[in-house]
Each structure stands twice: as C-alpha cells, then as structure tokens.
Amino acid sequence: MSETIQAAATQNVATGSDVKGSLIQTQVGRVVSDKMNKTVTVLVERRVKHPLYGKVVTRSKKYHAHDENNEFKEGDLVEIEACRKLAKTKAWRVKRLIEKAKVI
C-alpha cells in the first residue's frame, strides 16, 4: 500500500499537477504615463454591478509599476503582478506586454 502512495506522490511531483496555480495577484491595464525613470503608471479598469441600482459601472485605479529597462511606453496594454514594496507608492512589477500601443 505504501508503495502505491509513494509512486503517486512522485508522479505528482514530476508532473507538477499538485500545484494549483500562481498565488501572485495580477492585473491587466493600460500604461498612461512613462515619464518616471524605471516606473510606469498603469490604469486598471474593471466593470462592476452597482449594489443598489444594478447598473454596470466602470471602476478604475492607477498603480505604479516597476519597469526595469524603461521598455514600456504610453498606450501599451500590460500585465502587472504584485511584489514587495519597491518605493513609497510602488508595489507592482510589469510582468509582460500584451499589446503594443498603436501609433497614429
């Protein structure tokens, strides 16, 4: 009996099936400012239903995110992830670029 349990445990470790997913919080938003050095401001919008009236309203929040190489520009759609505090107002890091800004 113990051999089958041990075999199943080693199979789970080998395939990684026991890991449900990442616990790191992520958000998707648009870069609205890249004027700071190694920092971008990301606007995250979410649509929620009003608790009393039932109308769908847009809630938005701005986050300062760390951009190590100053590679993300205004208008880019990016994914940010929570990390340790890097500055007084900066506790997010840009994880990846989803969509490049369209040049008009």
Side-chain angles (χ1 to χ4, degrees):
M1 180 68 178
S2 66
E3 293 172 8
T4 58
I5 294 173
Q6 186 178 10
T10 56
Q11 183 180 6
N12 281 348
V13 171
T15 60
S17 63
D18 59 342
V19 178
K20 299 233 173 30
S22 177
L23 296 176
I24 299 172
Q25 183 181 4
T26 61
Q27 305 259 8
V28 175
R30 183 115 8 223
V31 176
V32 292
S33 173
D34 62 343
K35 293 181 174 75
M36 294 172 277
N37 188 29
K38 296 188 178 184
T39 304
V40 291
T41 303
V42 180
L43 179 71
V44 175
E45 291 184 334
R46 58 191 181 91
R47 295 169 54 85
V48 296
K49 193 172 186 180
H50 190 278
L52 178 62
Y53 301 116
K55 181 177 178 176
V56 177
V57 291
T58 303
R59 301 277 182 213
S60 62
K61 185 161 180 170
K62 289 182 183 176
Y63 297 97
H64 286 161
H66 186 66
D67 173 17
E68 182 64 38
N69 301 323
N70 291 320
E71 58 187 302
F72 302 105
K73 300 301 176 200
E74 201 169 316
D76 291 347
L77 188 66
V78 294
E79 183 178 10
I80 58 175
E81 66 179 356
C83 64
R84 66 180 180 85
K85 288 284 264 190
L86 300 169
K88 182 181 176 183
T89 60
K90 186 164 63 167
W92 294 82
R93 178 179 298 123
V94 179
K95 187 174 182 179
R96 65 184 176 101
L97 176 70
I98 297 173
E99 178 184 293
K100 199 76 175 154
K102 295 181 179 103
V103 178
I104 298 174

